[in-house]
Amino acid sequence: MTKNASGQSLAKRRYLALFFPFLPTERWLRTAPRPPDAPLVFAEKQRGAMRIASVDAAALAIGLRPGMPLADARAQVGELAVVPHDPVLDQEWLDRLAQGCARYSPLVALDAPDGLILDIAGTEHLYGGEADLVADAEMRLAQLGISLRHALGPTAHAARALARYQTRPAADEAQAVRRLPVAALELEAEATTALVRAGLKSIGDLASRPMANIAARFGTDAAMALRRLLGDAPSPLDPRIALPPVVTERRFAEPLGSTAHATKVLAELVSEAIEDLNERGKGGRHFRATFFRSDGLARSIAIETGHPTRDTGLVMRLFAERMDSLADPLDPGFGFDMIRLSVPRLEALGASQLKLEGGAVKDAAIDELADRLATRLGRGRVRRLRPVDTHIPEQAQLELPAVDAPTPSPWQTPEPGEPPTRPFHLFDPPQPIEVIAEVPDGPPHQFRWRRQAHAVRRYEGPERIAAEWWRRRDNGGLTRDYYRVEDAQGRRFWLFRHGLYDEKPDPRWYIHGVFA
């Protein structure tokens, strides 16, 4: 345990910061040939002018820097290869690197646009220690052609600053942090210039001054950044994927070169996760399998279910559906050396007794069919209607993706032998009609809809539905009187008068639905 400046205990954490100084260049060179004997820069339009967004090692060595006008760079270097900057592809590549680095820790944060931060507390022992873990990361990233600068630290901010700004080694991390330039605080340019002009060129110079004086002279942002760098203030990590409650994984001394073999291992991991869920009394709604390749890259495949489940067979069938529908098939490359299964979304699922007539089995089969269709066709293409607790008819149900739908509530059903209180076909919005009715609040005798007159022979009502008091400003606050009517031909309709005569001098009539 360590303590902060106020004497409060802080849990000991260890962070690994990875900085990729030439990420755009090395990402681009994976698919494009390198220009012969020419420095490479990436340019984009900034503030109305073309400026350099990123450079390669050769361009950096001759003095080209990000932010420099492209015209100045061309004047300085005769032969210059210029490529349009694509931050979206850079972000996708950084995300793939983060996915691969998840082998070292489930807590990986993106340090966009060119870095990652890993919380490795408790995971370094899997590699024999921090040094071996870092060596493994260096080896795998080098295989991908990625240049790397890295550093370890007790806080995320300290590790990040050391990876990006450290220029010479130090006896320990605390001393190394104090040797960093004040630019490591990453304040506004004016604040950094003010610190340097005041003779405070390093973090150690700044740390030797009272914190209150720093805040008063250079602002609270400078004081807070310094406290985070020194570990005197919380330095939380925002992981790319939150730590799931259930995780199982398998590491292999010899990489698996067969996707079929990897699928068998995945089935074993699913069984282990199901056992954990059973002990918790929970069911999974979201399962994610990550296949880590020996070359440092990883591939994740996720499935979702419309209800909590502990059915191993169902989960594996959904994974099989997803793998079969992948546009880019799962490629082991030189082999998978690790497979991880996580269950990030859990819901309560108690033991249930199946009905002798098979009712529960039938419901489960429908849920399974919806999950399989959503897995194959897309999560938004299979939808369900769910009841809503409201008395406004057109708002009484919602259409939601099957995998997103909440736990179903019971539908309102009529008494046995009674006719339905609501029509099977509902118009939204209701359609206006012309009605002959008794004034002020009598039933309709005749109405005209879609250029056709209907004589009312039977009616039932009114069923009075008041507006929701908290939404009266939105819908006018008018009361509805609903009637179930039958015309001379036996057709049944659901009509309503929108407003009472004391609410509106001339209330309108609408048809809201048709009974089958």
Side-chain angles (χ1 to χ4, degrees):
M1 300 287 288
T2 59
K3 291 186 177 181
N4 60 12
S6 61
Q8 296 174 331
S9 296
L10 298 174
K12 183 178 180 181
R13 311 298 302 176
R14 294 295 292 169
Y15 296 90
L16 171 63
L18 306 177
F19 170 45
F20 313 116
F22 307 113
L23 183 139
T25 302
E26 291 162 346
R27 187 269 306 165
W28 187 77
L29 290 175
R30 288 178 59 82
T31 57
R34 182 178 184 85
D37 302 328
L40 179 62
V41 300
F42 291 77
E44 65 179 354
K45 194 170 185 178
Q46 300 177 5
R47 300 187 297 275
M50 294 299 295
R51 294 181 179 273
I52 295 178
S54 180
V55 299
D56 70 349
L60 187 65
I62 60 177
L64 302 185
R65 296 288 188 274
M68 176 184 293
L70 182 59
D72 295 349
R74 290 187 183 278
Q76 182 177 338
V77 182
E79 295 293 333
L80 185 65
V82 181
V83 176
H85 181 49
D86 193 334
V88 174
L89 291 181
D90 290 344
Q91 177 70 21
E92 292 177 355
W93 179 233
L94 182 64
D95 192 72
R96 289 196 65 187
L97 294 178
Q99 202 172 39
C101 288
R103 71 172 63 244
Y104 305 113
S105 169
L107 297 177
V108 180
L110 297 178
D111 185 17
D114 50 15
L116 302 172
I117 302 178
L118 287 68
D119 183 346
I120 61 170
T123 63
E124 71 280 0
H125 69 278
L126 298 174
Y127 294 85
E130 289 182 351
D132 293 331
L133 185 150
V134 172
D136 189 84
E138 286 182 310
M139 179 269 295
R140 294 184 189 278
L141 290 168
Q143 290 178 348
L144 295 174
I146 301 295
S147 302
L148 173 66
R149 291 178 58 179
H150 61 81
L152 293 160
T155 69
H157 280 74
R160 182 184 188 280
L162 290 172
R164 292 173 179 269
Y165 296 96
Q166 186 177 18
T167 57
R168 52 178 178 159
D172 54 43
E173 291 171 359
Q175 184 180 357
V177 169
R178 290 178 174 270
R179 285 184 178 181
L180 293 175
V182 292
L185 297 176
E186 297 190 340
L187 304 173
E188 296 290 338
E190 295 180 359
T192 302
T193 302
L195 289 170
V196 174
R197 288 177 177 174
L200 305 174
K201 298 182 179 180
S202 69
I203 298 299
D205 296 337
L206 200 58
S208 63
R209 303 304 196 268
M211 198 65 66
N213 293 350
I214 295 173
R217 184 172 180 183
F218 302 103
T220 56
D221 288 345
M224 181 55 68
L226 178 62
R227 293 186 61 209
R228 287 174 177 166
L229 201 56
L230 297 176
D232 294 334
S235 179
L237 195 69
D238 184 14
R240 169 179 169 269
I241 298 177
L243 185 64
V246 176
V247 179
T248 60
E249 62 182 40
R250 195 72 50 83
R251 298 172 184 265
F252 312 103
E254 293 293 332
L256 303 180
S258 168
T259 303
H261 193 180
T263 303
K264 292 180 180 179
V265 174
L266 176 60
E268 297 174 3
L269 295 177
V270 170
S271 297
E272 294 176 11
I274 294 300
E275 291 179 7
D276 192 339
L277 293 173
N278 193 41
E279 294 177 0
R280 296 169 180 250
K282 302 282 188 178
R285 287 283 304 272
H286 184 178
F287 297 81
R288 178 181 296 272
T290 305
F291 300 84
F292 296 88
R293 301 194 333 184
S294 57
D295 61 1
L297 295 179
R299 179 76 178 273
S300 289
I301 298 176
I303 62 169
E304 294 178 281
T305 64
H307 61 289
T309 183
R310 292 196 296 264
D311 187 342
T312 302
L314 168 63
V315 174
M316 287 308 301
R317 285 194 294 273
L318 294 180
F319 270 122
E321 292 278 358
R322 177 54 52 87
M323 292 180 184
D324 290 341
S325 63
L326 290 175
D328 183 14
L330 188 64
D331 180 14
F334 294 104
F336 300 119
D337 59 1
M338 176 179 166
I339 300 176
R340 175 183 294 154
L341 175 75
S342 59
V343 190
R345 183 179 175 187
L346 310 183
E347 289 184 6
L349 179 62
S352 59
Q353 175 66 49
L354 299 180
K355 298 180 180 179
L356 292 178
E357 64 270 25
V361 175
K362 181 179 179 181
D363 293 341
I366 294 176
D367 290 336
E368 180 179 345
L369 175 62
D371 293 339
R372 293 182 64 185
L373 291 174
T375 300
R376 176 171 290 275
L377 303 176
R379 68 192 317 272
R381 294 181 178 272
V382 181
R383 310 178 77 84
R384 281 184 171 181
L385 296 176
R386 297 295 190 186
V388 179
D389 186 14
T390 178
H391 60 274
I392 304 301
E394 64 269 20
Q395 300 174 8
Q397 62 185 17
L398 290 176
E399 184 185 88
L400 299 173
V403 295
D404 289 341
T407 303
S409 303
W411 291 96
Q412 293 183 359
T413 57
E415 295 295 330
E418 294 294 325
T421 59
R422 296 290 185 267
F424 293 107
H425 185 87
L426 201 68
F427 298 118
D428 187 15
Q431 299 183 10
I433 57 176
E434 300 174 3
V435 174
I436 298 176
E438 296 179 9
V439 177
D441 55 2
H445 294 291
Q446 183 176 332
F447 66 94
R448 186 176 185 82
W449 176 50
R450 293 181 178 175
R451 300 181 181 180
Q452 184 176 355
H454 299 264
V456 176
R457 290 291 178 262
R458 296 182 179 88
Y459 75 89
E460 184 179 2
E463 177 188 357
R464 182 157 292 178
I465 297 180
E468 295 171 329
W469 61 266
W470 62 91
R471 294 179 177 173
R472 285 183 177 177
R473 180 174 299 178
D474 298 332
N475 57 24
L478 298 180
T479 303
R480 302 180 185 182
D481 275 353
Y482 278 89
Y483 292 87
R484 286 181 289 178
V485 304
E486 180 181 312
D487 68 0
Q489 285 75 34
R491 294 170 294 191
R492 296 181 178 181
F493 307 91
W494 203 35
L495 315 180
F496 72 91
R497 180 195 296 111
H498 193 209
L500 305 178
Y501 276 88
D502 58 355
E503 296 175 341
K504 187 177 181 181
D506 184 21
R508 298 292 305 276
W509 283 83
Y510 295 87
I511 181 170
H512 207 163
V514 179
F515 291 91

